């Protein structure tokens, strides 16, 4: 018998002795192992990361611009020993389908509809939602539509108040909402460059050496795909649909009082701390933390956020 055949035979003997089939051995993984899966929603392939026991409380992680579920790559294993964690990529982002603007209407209403159908397809009916940046208008739409499903909110630089948009970053985008011309749109293309992406990750951090270049190294090639700038410009315009819904989202908070954890990078120039404080007006069960970091707070303070989340979820969600 050759060495390779002997090794194969030994492996089969071990599998039999452990009462495992080769197929089971190939698919079984520790609960904390992050799995990369895809489901089809309305003809779109939606990639998602998943880890943790499926009978544990679920945390739905909703990413921001211009990243994807990649932003949660370290948070997921930090929670997965005792929580079921799931993080999808929106259409046009990460490794999900990215049809052209002619083939898919890139609005926040449509992104929310896809993620709503995604939650049904993967079978999660109760969850805490992590809202970050674009994740806020997606997640608040879910919460208003299905308040009975939301157990808690974790809000990290996710806006629901006019005060959060009252800054210089939003002035050219607000101008685009009022006048959707090619000239106005072309003026926003600078927000899709490598320099702008690096700035989002590094502005406001305590120590830039803690920020991995793998972040913009992952994001920028996706932004640079043919047709993706048009996708992002469509969503810049669609963001203008969100402020008119803020009163509805705030009413949801006042009426349903979801236990909420705020972990906010206070040096964020896009969604500054001015957008974090108004949550205090509407929420009674609120744990509030401003962190000395920037927009992508997980990059510098991921361990702190994971600890705060674990403690918060332990108190607020039945195991």
């Amino acid at each position: 018998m050759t060495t390779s055949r002997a090794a194969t035979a030994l492996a089969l003997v071990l599998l039999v002795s452990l009462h495992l089939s080769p197929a089971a051995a190939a698919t079984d993984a520790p609960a904390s192992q992050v799995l990369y899966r895809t489901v089809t929603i309305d003809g779109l392939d939606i990639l998602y990361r998943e880890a943790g026991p499926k009978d544990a409380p679920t945390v739905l992680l909703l990413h921001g611009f211009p990243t994807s579920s990649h932003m949660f790559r370290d948070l997921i294993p930090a929670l997965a020993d005792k929580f079921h964690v799931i993080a999808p990529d929106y259409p046009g982002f990460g490794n999900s389908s990215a049809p052209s603007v002619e083939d898919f209407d890139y609005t926040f209403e449509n992104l929310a509809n896809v993620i709503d159908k995604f939650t049904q397809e993967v079978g999660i009916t109760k969850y805490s939602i992590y809202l970050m940046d674009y994740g806020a208008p997606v997640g608040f739409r879910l919460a208003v539509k299905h308040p009975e499903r939301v157990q808690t909110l974790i809000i990290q630089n996710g806006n629901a108040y006019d005060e959060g948009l009252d800054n210089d970053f939003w002035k050219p985008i607000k101008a685009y909402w009022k006048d959707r011309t090619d000239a106005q749109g072309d003026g926003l293309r600078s927000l899709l460059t490598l320099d702008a992406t690096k700035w989002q990750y590094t502005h406001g951090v305590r120590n830039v050496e803690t920020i991995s270049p793998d972040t913009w190294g992952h994001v920028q090639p996706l932004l640079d795909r043919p047709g993706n700038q048009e996708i992002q410009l469509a969503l810049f315009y669609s963001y203008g649909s969100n402020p008119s819904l803020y009163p509805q989202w705030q009413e949801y908070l006042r009426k349903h009082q979801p236990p909420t954890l705020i972990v906010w990078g206070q040096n964020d120039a896009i969604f500054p701390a001015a957008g974090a404080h108004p949550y205090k007006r509407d929420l009674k069960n609120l744990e509030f933390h401003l962190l000395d970091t920037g927009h992508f707070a997980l990059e510098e303070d991921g361990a702190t956020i994971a600890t705060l989340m674990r403690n918060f979820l332990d108190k607020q969600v039945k195991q």
Side-chain angles (χ1 to χ4, degrees):
M1 183 180 292
T2 65
T3 301
S4 61
R5 288 181 177 176
T8 301
L10 178 59
L12 289 171
V13 170
L14 289 172
L15 287 170
V16 171
S17 68
L18 293 171
H19 306 289
L20 293 173
S21 70
T27 57
D28 284 354
S32 59
Q33 174 71 48
V34 180
L35 302 176
Y36 303 85
R37 293 174 161 152
T38 302
V39 294
T40 301
I41 307 294
D42 293 341
L44 302 173
D45 290 335
I46 302 300
L47 180 129
Y48 63 102
R49 303 173 191 232
E50 184 174 22
K54 289 202 172 185
D55 58 351
T58 295
V59 183
L60 175 64
L61 305 174
L62 298 180
H63 67 80
F65 163 85
T67 183
S68 63
S69 62
H70 178 264
M71 70 170 279
F72 301 116
R73 65 197 180 281
D74 295 324
L75 181 64
I76 293 172
L79 301 175
D81 62 315
K82 64 186 304 184
F83 299 101
H84 175 221
V85 193
I86 191 162
D89 293 349
Y90 311 139
F93 293 82
N95 289 288
S96 287
S97 294
S100 71
V101 293
E102 289 77 24
D103 294 326
F104 182 80
D105 189 13
Y106 284 92
T107 65
F108 283 90
E109 189 70 25
N110 277 345
L111 294 187
N113 286 338
V114 169
I115 298 304
D116 185 14
K117 292 177 182 179
F118 165 82
T119 64
Q120 297 173 50
E121 181 67 24
V122 300
I124 57 173
T125 57
K126 295 279 188 180
Y127 40 75
S128 296
I129 313 180
Y130 190 111
L131 308 170
M132 190 271 169
D133 189 274
Y134 278 11
V138 173
F140 276 120
R141 281 174 169 84
L142 291 185
V144 168
K145 187 175 182 180
H146 305 292
E148 74 286 353
R149 297 181 184 176
V150 179
Q151 295 179 301
T152 74
L153 301 177
I154 299 96
I155 302 175
Q156 187 249 298
N157 301 78
N159 194 58
Y161 296 87
D162 289 333
E163 293 95 321
L165 302 183
D166 188 16
N167 58 73
D168 288 343
F169 178 86
W170 288 96
K171 288 180 180 178
I173 300 176
K174 288 179 178 180
Y176 189 46
W177 299 345
K178 294 179 181 178
D179 185 20
R180 193 182 187 183
T181 63
D182 289 343
Q184 292 280 14
D186 288 343
L188 298 177
R189 292 181 190 271
S190 61
L191 298 176
L192 306 172
T193 63
L194 178 59
D195 285 345
T197 302
K198 286 184 177 180
W199 175 83
Q200 287 202 61
Y201 280 102
T202 58
H203 179 80
V205 303
R206 299 185 301 280
N207 181 3
V208 72
E209 292 182 348
T210 65
I211 310 303
S212 170
D214 293 343
T215 52
W216 52 82
H218 167 76
V219 168
Q220 196 60 42
L222 297 173
L223 281 176
D224 291 341
R225 289 176 292 178
N228 198 266
Q229 286 201 359
E230 279 59 45
I231 290 173
Q232 303 308 330
L233 290 177
L235 287 170
F236 286 166
Y237 180 76
S238 179
Y239 204 94
S241 68
N242 297 323
S244 64
L245 297 178
Y246 288 173
Q248 184 183 114
W249 302 351
Q250 294 157 20
E251 175 60 23
Y252 157 78
L253 296 174
R254 288 191 294 270
K255 179 178 178 180
H256 295 281
Q257 291 296 322
T260 300
L261 169 68
I262 287 182
V263 280
W264 199 289
Q266 65 179 353
N267 307 325
D268 186 358
I270 302 170
F271 294 115
H277 291 287
Y279 284 100
K280 297 174 184 176
R281 296 198 298 257
D282 294 321
L283 289 165
K284 298 175 183 178
N285 187 355
L286 174 65
E287 187 176 327
F288 188 91
H289 301 273
L290 294 181
L291 307 175
D292 184 19
T293 191
H295 182 67
F296 285 109
L298 284 171
E299 298 301 325
E300 190 168 34
D301 285 331
T304 297
I305 291 172
T307 298
L308 290 170
M309 286 181 66
R310 291 174 68 91
N311 293 339
F312 170 77
L313 292 168
D314 280 343
K315 288 185 293 185
Q316 301 293 347
V317 182
K318 292 181 180 179
Q319 300 294 320

